[in-house]
Amino acid sequence: MTRRVLPALLIATGTVALGTACGGSPAPAPATSPAPATSAVKALPHSGAPKVENPLPARVLSGDPCQTALTPDQVGRIISVTPPGKLRNIAGLGPSCWWSNIDSGSAVSAGYVTEDHQGLSAVYQNSRPRSKLWRPLPPVQGFPAVAFRADLGEDLCQVSVGTADDQSVDVTITLGESKKGNTDPCTVAGQAADMVIANLRQRAGS
C-alpha cells in the first residue's frame, strides 16, 4: 500500500479561481510514501479515519478521470482556461488527471485512488503524521473529507474524500503568485472536490 503526500499535481502553472483567479509558480513533483509494514491487514476504517456510511459504487471510479472528474466548464472555473487534461497512472494508487494554466501558474488535479484498497484510512495513517496542515472538513456531498498539506509550499493543498471505506478521491490545487498569502488553497481545493464528487454521484445515478 502506498500513499503519496500530495497527488500528481503537477508541474504546472496557472490561475486558480472559483469565483477568484490565481496566478502562480510551478508545483513540485508528487512524492510517494510507502506504508509501514504490517503483519496483518487492518479492518477498515482504521487510524482514525471516518466510516463512509453511504459509499459510491466502485464503478464510478473506473476509467479516465480526465473524462469524468471535471467538465471543461468546471476546469475553466477553477483555472480560468480549459486545457486538455493530462493523464497519469500512479502505481499503487490509480489514475490521476491534471490541468494547468501555463500563463498564470496554477493547476488542479483529480485522482481516483482505487489500487491501495484503504480509502481515507491510508491518508490518516500515512499522510497525517507528516502533514504541516491537517484539517478535517465538513462532508463533501455527504462523504467524509480532509484537507492537508505537507512541506511543499503554502500555495498547495490536497483534499481527499472517502467515496467508500476502501476507495477515495484526491483533489489538489496549486495557487499562482497573485493569490499566495491572500487565498486559502484548501478552500479552493474543497470547492473543486465538491464538483468532482457531484459528478461522480451523477455518474452513479444518485
Side-chain angles (χ1 to χ4, degrees):
M1 168 174 72
T2 59
R3 164 64 60 175
R4 56 190 170 168
V5 175
L6 284 166
L9 188 52
L10 327 177
I11 15 184
T13 47
T15 350
V16 176
L18 287 169
T20 42
C22 314
S25 56
T32 301
S33 302
T38 56
S39 58
V41 176
K42 295 181 180 180
L44 296 174
H46 62 74
S47 303
K51 184 172 181 58
V52 180
E53 298 294 344
N54 297 293
L56 289 176
R59 62 179 172 79
V60 303
L61 298 188
S62 64
D64 183 354
C66 293
Q67 303 300 318
T68 58
L70 292 166
T71 67
D73 177 70
Q74 289 169 334
V75 172
R77 289 167 61 191
I78 297 167
I79 61 171
S80 300
V81 294
T82 57
K86 296 185 179 181
L87 179 66
R88 296 178 177 179
N89 190 69
I90 310 301
L93 294 175
S96 181
C97 186
W98 64 273
W99 298 264
S100 63
N101 184 328
I102 294 174
D103 292 334
S104 54
S106 67
V108 57
S109 75
Y112 297 164
V113 185
T114 58
E115 296 179 12
D116 71 355
H117 308 294
Q118 294 291 301
L120 283 186
S121 293
V123 178
Y124 274 72
Q125 181 179 18
N126 303 324
S127 299
R128 185 177 189 177
R130 56 178 62 94
S131 293
K132 300 296 183 181
L133 177 149
W134 180 266
R135 185 189 302 167
L137 299 176
V140 174
Q141 295 283 325
F143 297 91
V146 61
F148 60 99
R149 179 177 66 240
D151 192 16
L152 294 176
E154 294 185 0
D155 59 326
L156 294 174
C157 187
Q158 173 174 319
V159 169
S160 291
V161 183
T163 57
D165 286 341
D166 61 349
Q167 293 191 328
S168 60
V169 172
D170 292 340
V171 177
T172 307
I173 288 291
T174 183
L175 297 179
E177 290 293 335
S178 68
K179 291 299 175 181
K180 287 181 181 179
N182 57 46
T183 298
D184 180 3
C186 293
T187 296
V188 181
Q191 293 170 327
D194 186 80
M195 293 180 184
V196 173
I197 299 301
N199 292 339
L200 294 176
R201 288 188 60 188
Q202 184 175 26
R203 193 179 186 198
S206 64

